[in-house]
Amino acid sequence: MPRFLSLGDRAFTVEFAPDINAKARVAVTRLDTAIAATREDGGLEAVIDVVPTFRSLTVHYDPLVAGRAEIEAAIATLTDSPENAPAPELGLWTFPVLYGGEGGPDLPRLAEAAGITEARAIDLHASTEVEVYMLGFQPGFAFMGDIDAALRQPRLTEPRIRVPAGSVAVADRLTAVYPWESPGGWHLIGRSPIRFFDAAQTRPSLLSPSDRVTFEPVAAKRYAEIEAALQAGELQSESFRRTA
Amino acid sequence: MSGPAGTLKIRDPGPVTTVQDAGRLTARRWGVPVAGTLVPDWLFLANALVGNGEEAAGLEFWLTGPRFTVETDAVLLAVGGPAEMKVEGAEGARSVPPWTATRAERGDKVGVGRVGSGTTAVLAVSGGIDTRPVLGSRATYTRAALGGLDGRALRPGDDLPLGTQGSAEPLALGDPPIDQDDPIRVVLGPQDDHFQPEALEAFLNGQYTVTDMVDRMGMRLDGPALAHRVPELAQIASDGSVPGAVQVPGNGQPIVLLADAQTVGGYPKIATVISADLPRLARLAPGEMVRFVAVGVSEAEEHYRRKIASLRALMKQAKPTWLASGLDLRCLYAANLISGMVDMTRPDHFPGNVS
């Protein structure tokens, strides 16, 4: 049974595990799907948003519609029979990345720490299929994992003041692409031209929790072509969806 | 005064002024913070004084309000919070106190002054600020350039679009809302069990000072350090967060997350400020003192319901500005033009005429 943790008077967190593990992630995904299905059928009307994470799920609600006790009881019944939940729709993606160089200043150091060549490090990062564990930190910022063990390094002790938008980064077991310029403590290994967040869409984030992602190393010339095509609208971020 | 919507031309926005509404509540799933005003209670009241619904966007300002020129036939303006407003028009200049809606005409130059106590106040404009809603809200979130005017704070020269003007009368509050000095109420958790029992005691019995490290994202406090049970518990695998969450990093000094807080966070949260008290905390200035007291979840929900009810009750007692201020003849004339019930040019039509 999960723990129900208080997060004020308009949210609570359903915690399946104190740390990141595969079993908890499956439970989170199942409950997330079950809640979505219930809301689609007109249930849980006080619930206004649901935020899944690595190991838990935060339910945001409107206390003017219903109180925590009532919502928690309804959600507890969903955790009792998660196997009834329909399987979530999986998005599969392959995103082009220009590894190293100006956009990936930490690649040489990361390869050296692992005792492998940069080419090998690129290959390990690109070919390992990662799962979207959660969105957060920034709009559309997807925490993805697990990356290959050889590439795992703790985050920088001194975060960079400015990480450019589009930076492909790794930290510990995770990888991500920064959708926005911001400060950041992850290791930068490359750059992607994809637009991961578009506020004009009803589902503004390109990636959803549980989506599966691989990367494709591209050369500078190809990168420039893709970037130009995206900017001209000849290519959509959606085009990088792949079929099984 | 129904008519085509116009604009407010910003001459000087003040230090930081943004378009804000009640916030973006349904896109957190995608990593989008709530944003919205730090003082939703005050925006609710100021909106009501100018005849707006509670969803209307206004201007939130920090320390000093904006100066602008009215570029529409007539608008109602009201400050929510301790700041005076000056309106300079063809008929001279006048001062408008807080919690008092006033009518401004095309070409009038309006200046909202310093925030008298605390840091943050709002200006409501009839029709609302009509920038394009993004993901269901006009709230400005500058870090990802979402909402408001191009997702940023206002600049000199900006033209702020206004919504359609209705026919509301300007209202004034007889008794402005007063912030009590009581302790800020919190619900313990979600990670209160990451802290030593003495830390929980220190948090609830100690006194904290608001530091100058405060922005729309969070407020750092300074006071008794809160020790985690073991140092490793000073970090967690990120979980969901909310405005009001009190996170405690390794140095033991609490940070209260505010409107622009990230949707998830990796520091343990000892408690969460209740919705009814968060605006009161968010508008405190650096150097002010805070104490915390714990309440249960259902009690906190009840306080929130009561707070909403009390704001509505306060608005029921609002009076037309000309009645509340007595001497504002300009408003009196305007009110007469709308109602058509009395005509100031004919003394025999003035109810209660004592001359």
Side-chain angles (χ1 to χ4, degrees), chain A residues 61-232:
Chain A
Y61 66 95
D62 181 356
L64 300 181
V65 178
R68 152 89 175 271
E70 184 186 329
I71 303 161
E72 181 177 322
I75 285 179
T77 64
L78 296 176
T79 62
D80 287 344
S81 52
E83 62 277 5
N84 296 334
E89 196 186 317
L90 271 191
L92 304 171
W93 306 87
T94 299
F95 298 120
V97 174
L98 174 61
Y99 282 97
E102 209 182 299
D106 297 331
L107 181 67
R109 193 169 32 76
L110 215 65
E112 196 189 323
I116 55 179
T117 63
E118 286 183 33
R120 178 68 184 143
I122 292 170
D123 183 50
L124 284 178
H125 181 264
S127 63
T128 306
E129 186 183 73
V130 286
E131 179 183 344
V132 176
Y133 291 155
M134 67 174 195
L135 298 166
F137 177 58
Q138 300 173 337
F141 185 103
F143 292 79
M144 299 177 273
D146 286 353
I147 60 170
D148 190 275
L151 299 177
R152 295 181 195 176
Q153 288 288 326
R155 59 195 66 189
L156 301 170
T157 43
E158 291 266 331
R160 283 187 173 85
I161 306 273
R162 180 181 165 273
V163 173
S167 294
V168 178
V170 295
D172 301 315
R173 65 171 82 186
L174 301 171
T175 185
V177 187
Y178 284 74
W180 313 92
E181 181 185 307
S182 79
W186 292 27
H187 308 270
L188 311 184
I189 60 169
R191 199 161 67 188
S192 176
I194 307 298
R195 190 178 178 192
F196 285 90
F197 189 88
D198 180 358
Q201 307 295 321
T202 44
R203 210 197 62 190
S205 171
L206 189 65
L207 295 171
S208 297
S210 302
D211 281 5
R212 305 297 156 96
V213 172
T214 54
F215 299 96
E216 183 194 356
V218 294
K221 184 164 174 285
R222 177 77 189 124
Y223 181 93
E225 284 166 11
I226 296 171
E227 192 172 40
L230 281 165
Q231 271 166 13

Side-chain angles (χ1 to χ4, degrees), chain B residues 118-134:
Chain B
T119 55
T120 304
V122 289
L123 176 75
V125 186
S126 55
I129 307 294
D130 195 25
T131 50
R132 193 172 53 84
V134 173

